[in-house]
């Protein structure tokens, strides 16, 4: 058997401890599958005295992650600190410069600095692997780089933040407002220390940026993502969407178009009978489409000790086997610069509005839509007891510009009681 593969683990939170547990519990299995013993030489975290529910006395301790990264008895630096700046970035760079392979779960680091780190790793001839950075235990990185290597990928789409999906499905099932479920999720510890990373769509957008680079051979371009969180989704929209046969999801979509690379992370409607429409709770789902394979759907836990540690170990095992390749599937110096799409592809839209109880109000709204080139597919008006009537409209495929023109014109009609809500409907 070959020499042991020695790990240095920086970050001993939930995932880091999960990695330690897997190595201890499955040491013989890992050796059988990789042909090498996998061991831990040293660890690092902010607090050496914290009770983590497992003894770490058998490992050397480093207070500084960067010092851990360059130890002579470390072959693979496992970065589980998080964050796109500071210690995580410094330690990963130090490891690569010292000739170490790197395994990370840090989506923010890759979304912001992915191109520079890929160049650094490939110039040094080292591996930089990150299966755990996207969708937890779902092997989506391997699916794109290995399973679909013979495909021209046409679209990547998915629900990539379990906390947001929990909030939206809980709102629907319990009939609670966004504010009520947000407080509940926060109390249960489902949200990041900065909740905006979750509900603002930032966490999921980091993941989409990575997948987009892999799928389309472009440099990671987080800034090119059109980003909107779930804060404006109301229980009224959830009920109305359900009444029209849809579910609302925080959906990431990336696709290459003749107008450039379209990357969106925003609340969208999807058919309630689709795989995404049936996705409940904190589970993640990624849909990949290729010219040869068609569509595949990957579903599983997007976070947690076991699933994320499982993904970390998948990368460690690949390093142990000597598996290598470009960080983003294509050599970093050949990745094209991503050109953001000048406009989104046309799509149907859901509109919800309240109209003044005046003769011809509905006809006036329909006329404004028609004047902007937006045609109506379905429309529903509900009974009312006050001076305004709720109306739902599903349009045929239209451009975002035409829809915005119509919404702007509606404000001047004198028949719209409140600003309309408009959400894109995504084909699945």
């Amino acid at each position: 058997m070959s020499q042991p593969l020695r790990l240095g683990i920086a970050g001993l939170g939930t995932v880091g401890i999960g990695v330690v547990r897997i190595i201890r519990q499955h040491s013989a299995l890992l050796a059988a599958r990789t042909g090498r013993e996998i061991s831990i030489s040293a660890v690092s975290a902010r607090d050496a005295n914290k009770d983590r529910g497992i003894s770490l006395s058998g490992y050397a301790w480093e207070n500084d992650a960067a010092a851990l990264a360059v130890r002579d008895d470390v072959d693979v630096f496992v970065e589980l600190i998080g964050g796109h700046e500071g210690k995580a970035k410094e330690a990963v760079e130090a490891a690569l410069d010292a000739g170490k392979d790197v395994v990370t779960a840090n989506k923010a680091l890759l979304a912001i600095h992915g191109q520079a780190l890929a160049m650094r790793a490939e110039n040094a001839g080292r591996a930089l692997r990150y299966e755990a950075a996207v969708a937890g235990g779902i092997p989506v990185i391997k699916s794109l780089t290995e399973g679909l290597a013979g495909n021209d990928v046409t679209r990547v789409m998915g629900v990539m933040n379990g906390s947001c999906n929990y909030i939206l499905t809980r709102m629907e099932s319990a009939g609670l407002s966004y504010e009520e479920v947000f407080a509940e999720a926060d109390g249960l510890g489902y949200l990041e220390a900065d909740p905006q990373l979750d509900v603002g769509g930032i966490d999921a957008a980091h993941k989409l940026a990575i997948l987009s680079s892999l799928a389309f051979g472009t440099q990671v371009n987080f800034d090119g993502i059109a980003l909107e969180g779930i804060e404006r989704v109301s229980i009224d929209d959830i009920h109305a969407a359900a009444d029209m046969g849809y579910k609302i999801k925080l959906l990431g979509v990336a696709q290459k178009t003749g107008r450039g690379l379209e990357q969106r992370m925003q609340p969208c409607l999807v058919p309630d009978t689709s795989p995404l429409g049936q996705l409940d709770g904190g589970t993640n789902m990624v849909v990949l489409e290729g010219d040869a394979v068609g569509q595949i759907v990957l579903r599983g836990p997007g976070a947690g000790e076991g699933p994320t540690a499982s993904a970390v170990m998948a990368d460690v095992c690949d390093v142990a086997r000597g598996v290598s390749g470009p960080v983003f599937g294509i050599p970093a110096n050949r990745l094209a610069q991503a050109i953001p799409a000048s406009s989104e592809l046309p799509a149907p839209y859901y509109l919800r509005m309240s109209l003044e109880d005046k003769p011809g109000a509905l006809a006036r709204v329909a006329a404004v839509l028609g004047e902007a080139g937006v045609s109506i597919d379905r429309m529903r008006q509900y009974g009312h007891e006050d001076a305004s009537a709720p109306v739902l409209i599903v349009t045929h495929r239209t451009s975002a510009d035409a829809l915005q023109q119509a919404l702007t014109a509606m404000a001047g009609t004198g028949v719209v009681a409140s600003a309309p809500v408009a959400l894109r409907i995504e084909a699945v």
Side-chain angles (χ1 to χ4, degrees):
M1 185 174 288
S2 302
Q3 290 293 316
L5 186 72
R6 303 165 299 176
L7 310 185
I9 302 175
L12 295 171
T14 300
V15 178
I17 293 302
V19 171
V20 173
R21 292 188 198 279
I22 289 176
I23 291 172
R24 288 187 179 178
Q25 293 170 5
H26 299 307
S27 59
L29 182 62
L30 292 169
R33 287 177 171 170
T34 65
R36 299 179 70 175
E37 177 190 350
I38 296 175
S39 64
I40 301 171
S41 297
V43 296
S44 175
R46 282 180 294 186
D47 184 356
N49 299 313
K50 181 180 178 180
D51 181 6
R52 295 176 171 85
I54 187 171
S55 174
L56 301 170
S57 60
Y59 314 130
W61 182 275
E62 290 282 0
N63 290 317
D64 182 10
L68 171 67
V70 300
R71 285 176 63 105
D72 290 338
D73 59 353
V74 168
D75 303 309
V76 180
F77 177 61
V78 181
E79 186 273 303
L80 305 172
I81 302 168
H84 69 277
E85 298 291 354
K87 285 293 182 184
K89 180 172 179 285
E90 176 189 347
V92 167
E93 291 174 341
L96 293 172
D97 291 347
K100 315 292 186 182
D101 295 312
V102 173
V103 171
T104 179
N106 193 335
K107 53 194 169 289
L109 181 68
L110 292 164
I112 305 302
H113 302 292
Q115 179 65 20
L117 290 173
M119 292 289 290
R120 201 175 198 125
E122 291 170 25
N123 288 339
R126 308 317 308 172
L128 171 58
R129 303 186 69 88
Y130 49 91
E131 184 68 67
V134 180
I138 302 175
V140 62
I141 305 299
K142 284 181 177 291
S143 296
L144 280 170
T145 57
E146 298 175 21
L148 301 184
N151 283 256
D152 180 16
V153 178
T154 55
R155 182 168 65 157
V156 174
M157 174 171 55
V159 170
M160 304 176 205
N161 184 278
S163 300
C164 286
N165 203 51
Y166 168 83
I167 289 173
L168 294 173
T169 55
R170 175 71 174 150
M171 286 171 66
E172 180 184 19
S173 63
L176 298 173
S177 69
Y178 169 80
E179 290 76 16
E180 290 172 309
V181 179
F182 176 91
E184 178 182 284
D186 198 27
L188 291 170
Y190 291 173
L191 300 176
E192 298 275 1
D194 177 3
Q196 191 63 22
L197 291 173
D198 287 317
V199 299
I202 299 169
D203 167 86
H206 285 149
K207 300 169 187 175
L208 182 66
I210 294 168
L211 293 182
S212 185
S213 175
L214 283 167
F216 305 115
T218 56
Q219 296 178 18
V220 177
N221 183 23
F222 173 74
D223 291 336
I225 298 176
L227 180 59
E228 180 185 353
I230 64 171
E231 300 98 326
R232 294 195 306 113
V233 176
S234 73
I235 188 63
D236 290 336
D237 289 316
I238 287 177
H239 286 158
D243 200 29
M244 302 289 273
Y246 296 102
K247 296 288 184 70
I248 299 177
K249 300 293 179 183
L250 179 65
L251 195 64
V253 179
Q255 52 195 347
K256 202 77 169 287
T257 75
R259 303 169 182 175
L261 179 61
E262 184 177 326
Q263 299 182 101
R264 295 180 279 107
M265 181 62 64
Q266 60 188 179
C268 293
L269 274 67
V270 295
D272 57 13
T273 56
S274 67
L276 285 165
Q278 297 178 41
L279 185 70
D280 293 331
T283 307
N284 281 198
M285 180 177 287
V286 181
V287 179
L288 305 175
E289 296 175 355
D291 62 342
V293 75
Q295 183 184 90
I296 66 170
V297 178
L298 304 172
R299 178 184 184 276
E305 176 181 319
T308 310
S310 170
V312 169
M313 288 309 301
D315 283 339
V316 169
C317 287
D318 273 351
V319 173
R321 296 184 186 109
V323 175
S324 62
V327 175
F328 290 106
I330 294 173
N333 60 8
R334 291 174 52 195
L335 291 171
Q337 187 169 354
I339 301 174
S342 56
S343 60
E344 297 175 359
L345 291 175
Y349 282 82
Y350 152 96
L351 304 177
R352 179 177 62 83
M353 64 193 75
S354 293
L355 301 184
E356 300 286 355
D357 192 4
K358 297 178 179 179
L362 197 55
R364 183 70 187 114
V365 166
V368 166
L369 288 168
E371 289 162 6
V374 180
S375 64
I376 296 173
D377 178 28
R378 287 183 284 156
M379 183 165 55
R380 188 166 296 174
Q381 184 172 3
Y382 296 88
H384 60 100
E385 298 178 355
D386 53 22
S388 61
V391 173
L392 299 182
I393 294 173
V394 171
T395 75
H396 286 290
R397 286 167 57 88
T398 188
S399 70
D401 290 343
L403 183 70
Q404 187 55 54
Q405 178 185 335
L407 295 177
T408 301
M410 279 182 199
T413 61
V415 299
V416 180
S418 59
V421 173
L423 294 173
R424 183 183 175 99
I425 301 174
E426 196 68 36
V428 180

